Amino acid sequence: MSFHTIRQAPARLNRSELAVPGSQPQLFEKAAKSDVDVIFLDLEDAVAPDEKDQARRNVITALNDLDWGAKTMSIRINGLDTHYMYRDVVDVVEACERLDLIMLPKVGTAADVYAVDMLVTQIEDAKGRSKRIGFEHIIETALGMQNVSEIAGASPRNESLHFGVADYAASTRARTTIIGGVNPDYAVLTDPLGDGTRAEHWGDMWHYALARMVVAARANGLRPIDGPFGDFQDPDGYRAAARRAAVLGCEGKWAIHPSQVALANEVMSPSAAEVDKANRILAAMAEAEAAGKGAVSLDGRLIDYASIRQAEVLVEKAKQIAA
Ligand code: GLV
Ligand code: MG
């Protein structure tokens, strides 16, 4: 291990994160009753410019008056290049003790994080807020991806990084079909096989971006979260995208429609078999320690310390879900 200790963000369940437009208060009640782990009430891209003020008022009322249960509540503020952003922060943070997180869209540099941190710190101090606001950052521009490591380490408020695939595609001018989906043009054509035919294997065009963000997040103790999948009529496509993200280390995925919440929770929760195996690994380790043995084995296989650490993480996650 490095001598450098990574400070871990507060442990929150973040398997699913539901986007709810602040301009559509008729959707709030249903979201509050859903099984989602985190909700972000959106003041940014789902809200038209002439609805920004009303959306902010809706969000303040809803955060104060609705019962959101134990969910983690966030707002997505407008970008730092707009004049809506300062009011999003000042008005909502001043008025809403229930708010847990602020989501910063299109973060480009560590200084963007610093600026919002300064503003939030002043409001917290002035208002004597007891609960400290955390930050979630959407990495969704070429600039943000270039500076992802500095952004990840820019504030002790940072909790998670989110891959905003739609804006990322726009910023990098990637050729996409549907938001977060795959593109048949991103494929490998094999050389001729034994029988002379050639096979085509589709690839995941988001692999590099997502993997890069995961590394920056984990190296700074943050949760990496995969962003939207646009076609909410394609649960299999959603599951496949979520599984790819989970395999790379993401802890959760956005839902842009309530029907995607269950899919995210399903893919991002460890299975009963995985939890069972993790528990057996930890039991085998405890047994080996009690017997003074250096090597731990289970089912005829040697267990190394990396597997033990993975088992600890998994069991901790299962406990959080059960709670
Ligand atoms: C999310 O904001 C995205 O652009 O994908
Ligand atoms: Mg976006």
Side-chain angles (χ1 to χ4, degrees), residues 48-274:
D50 59 352
E51 294 184 327
K52 295 284 186 196
D53 290 344
Q54 186 56 47
R56 199 183 297 121
R57 285 193 290 271
N58 297 341
V59 164
I60 291 171
T61 306
L63 278 170
N64 290 334
D65 295 354
L66 266 185
D67 179 6
W68 300 96
K71 291 175 177 44
T72 294
M73 295 304 298
S74 181
I75 52 163
R76 178 163 76 170
I77 60 173
N78 284 282
L80 274 73
D81 57 333
T82 73
H83 62 81
Y84 308 114
M85 173 255 153
Y86 80 99
R87 282 230 163 274
D88 293 343
V89 176
V90 174
D91 290 7
V92 184
V93 177
E94 278 196 350
C96 302
E97 186 65 34
R98 179 64 181 84
L99 187 70
D100 299 297
L101 304 173
I102 292 178
M103 174 180 269
L104 280 70
K106 302 181 184 74
V107 179
T109 69
D112 288 343
V113 182
Y114 185 88
V116 182
D117 194 351
M118 179 211 59
L119 193 52
V120 170
T121 302
Q122 290 196 17
I123 301 167
E124 282 181 347
D125 287 354
K127 292 285 156 186
R129 270 185 73 104
S130 53
K131 195 167 62 180
R132 195 173 157 80
I133 298 275
F135 286 167
E136 25 182 29
H137 302 296
I138 318 183
I139 304 302
E140 53 181 344
T141 60
L143 184 64
M145 191 59 81
Q146 175 171 274
N147 295 321
V148 65
S149 303
E150 290 77 22
I151 290 167
S155 166
R157 296 183 188 275
N158 287 358
E159 291 202 12
S160 54
L161 299 182
H162 300 242
F163 181 49
V165 66
D167 273 303
Y168 186 75
S171 172
T172 57
R173 303 187 198 176
R175 295 185 181 177
T176 59
T177 47
I178 49 158
I179 292 174
V182 282
N183 184 333
D185 283 348
Y186 197 79
V188 173
L189 185 65
T190 66
D191 287 344
L193 303 170
D195 61 0
T197 60
R198 304 179 79 176
E200 199 176 40
H201 298 288
W202 290 32
D204 177 4
M205 64 186 288
W206 309 116
H207 173 85
Y208 167 75
L210 199 54
R212 182 168 175 179
M213 188 196 80
V214 168
V215 171
R218 293 297 186 198
N220 288 278
L222 314 184
R223 299 183 291 278
I225 307 293
D226 192 23
F229 184 81
D231 186 354
F232 52 81
Q233 310 223 15
D234 179 11
D236 290 339
Y238 182 97
R239 273 196 196 89
R243 282 199 208 104
R244 288 195 302 273
V247 164
L248 288 180
C250 285
E251 278 186 44
K253 182 163 174 66
W254 286 18
I256 56 155
H257 187 271
S259 65
Q260 294 179 334
V261 169
L263 304 175
N265 287 348
E266 171 198 317
V267 175
M268 297 295 173
S269 303
S271 69
E274 286 171 315

Side-chain angles (χ1 to χ4, degrees), residues 277 280-281 284 295-304 307-308:
K277 180 155 184 218
R280 290 195 307 125
I281 288 175
V296 187
S297 69
L298 182 71
D299 303 336
R301 289 194 180 180
L302 202 66
I303 306 278
D304 62 9
S307 315
I308 293 166

